[in-house]
Amino acid sequence: MGIGRAVWKKKKKGRHTAFTSNRIAILAEDGSIVAERSDPRASFARHDLRTSWDPLHRAYFNGYALWTYLTTPFLLAMDGFKVEEIEPWRDEAETWRGLRATFPAEIASHSSEQDFYFGEDMLIRRHDYRVDIAGSFPAAQYVSDHVNVDGIWIPTRRRAYLRADDLKPMLDTLMVSIDLSDFRFG
């Protein structure tokens, strides 16, 4: 996988991350390495929902998660992915078409098998997975507020909830909340 980049700032000092499936680094504004870890996934061994994360754990999670979120559905057409249609999901008055994707081993993501649900307009509405690095807990992520950026529809709002055995989201257990804005293609 190519390098992903996430930008964050702390105490007015610019920092960004350099992410690949087998390395995470936090870099200073001048490009010098602040911290790095090879084989970052191995550092999550025996983690569960209660385990504390250091900055490199957070950077690795953010790197692979955002890469997955921002490249879906295009990543599903990459070599090595297996995709099959699954039962649709009914959410209130809507029925969303389902796809199950099996990720190739060299792609870092939440889990090797993930489900994606699309509305009648073919925009993603929900993304289900297990967070393997945190005890493999099941999540249902609702995706909404799509914007058109140069002809590509991108969701700006994501809410991930703990998922029950019946696949229903536990709406009182919000795990992750993401709001994105100011998209630009360079």
Side-chain angles (χ1 to χ4, degrees):
M1 173 190 331
I3 291 185
R5 180 178 162 155
V7 177
W8 57 281
K9 295 189 181 270
K10 184 177 179 181
K11 297 183 182 176
K12 297 186 182 181
K13 292 183 180 182
R15 298 278 192 269
H16 65 273
T17 60
F19 159 79
T20 65
S21 59
N22 58 6
R23 177 182 174 263
I24 187 66
I26 299 172
L27 306 174
E29 208 163 358
D30 66 2
S32 61
I33 297 172
V34 174
E36 82 178 315
R37 179 176 289 146
S38 295
D39 194 14
R41 201 160 193 99
S43 71
F44 288 92
R46 297 177 300 284
H47 278 212
D48 64 19
L49 280 173
R50 299 173 305 265
T51 307
S52 296
W53 287 1
D54 65 28
L56 288 168
H57 286 121
R58 286 191 300 276
Y60 177 73
F61 174 82
N62 289 339
Y64 84 64
L66 286 173
W67 184 86
T68 299
Y69 304 159
L70 294 173
T71 60
T72 301
F74 304 107
L75 71 96
L76 303 178
M78 292 174 56
D79 288 340
F81 278 83
K82 294 177 185 162
V83 181
E84 64 181 301
E85 192 157 2
I86 59 173
E87 288 293 317
W89 178 258
R90 183 151 180 84
D91 195 88
E92 296 180 13
E94 295 184 44
T95 300
W96 300 333
R97 190 172 182 180
L99 289 178
R100 175 160 296 145
T102 302
F103 283 55
E106 64 272 9
I107 301 291
S109 194
H110 293 302
S111 55
S112 61
E113 189 175 273
Q114 300 181 35
D115 296 339
F116 300 87
Y117 297 93
F118 299 86
E120 285 185 27
D121 55 8
M122 299 311 292
L123 297 177
I124 189 169
R125 295 292 194 274
R126 180 172 156 165
H127 177 197
D128 286 13
Y129 47 85
R130 291 187 168 276
V131 183
D132 287 346
I133 62 172
S136 200
F137 73 85
Q141 184 177 108
Y142 279 79
V143 181
S144 63
D145 298 352
H146 295 76
V147 296
N148 187 318
V149 181
D150 295 334
I152 298 175
W153 287 94
I154 301 173
T156 62
R157 180 181 165 100
R158 293 177 173 274
R159 299 294 183 267
Y161 301 93
L162 197 58
R163 190 182 71 218
D165 290 338
D166 62 1
L167 303 183
K168 291 181 182 175
M170 301 168 77
L171 297 176
D172 59 340
T173 313
L174 179 65
M175 304 302 289
V176 175
S177 174
I178 301 171
D179 294 292
L180 302 168
S181 63
D182 299 323
F183 287 103
R184 292 180 299 280
F185 294 117

